[in-house]
Amino acid sequence: MQQQATVDGDALEVWIDQDLCTGDGICAQYAPEVFELDIDGLAYVKSPGDELLQDKGATTPVPLTLLTDVVDSAKECPGDCIHVRRVSDKVEVYGPDAD
């Protein structure tokens, strides 16, 4: 099992807002272990067991080894639809709603 990424000791999770997804696939290029484009052309997160999570607002843990790739995905996403937040309080630390 992969170690989960943290900020100040709080575990991180990531989710995609499909309403804003442009289907560019940049996230899947950066972190194919975390993101995948579905047949509908939109990006989704994947579970640690590699299952595509298609429920609206579905989250998945951010593996420590992929933190940089996930953060770069959020920064480079043309749709500004990738949100990385702390699990404990749901505060966004990377993505369009981060301070």
Side-chain angles (χ1 to χ4, degrees), residues 46-83:
K46 299 194 299 187
S47 73
D50 208 36
E51 176 188 352
L52 199 64
L53 303 175
Q54 295 175 296
D55 292 337
K56 189 170 181 71
T59 65
T60 196
V62 177
L64 180 58
T65 56
L66 296 173
L67 177 60
T68 300
D69 294 332
V70 170
V71 169
D72 287 346
S73 297
K75 288 179 181 175
E76 300 297 325
C77 176
D80 281 335
C81 65
I82 300 173
H83 304 270

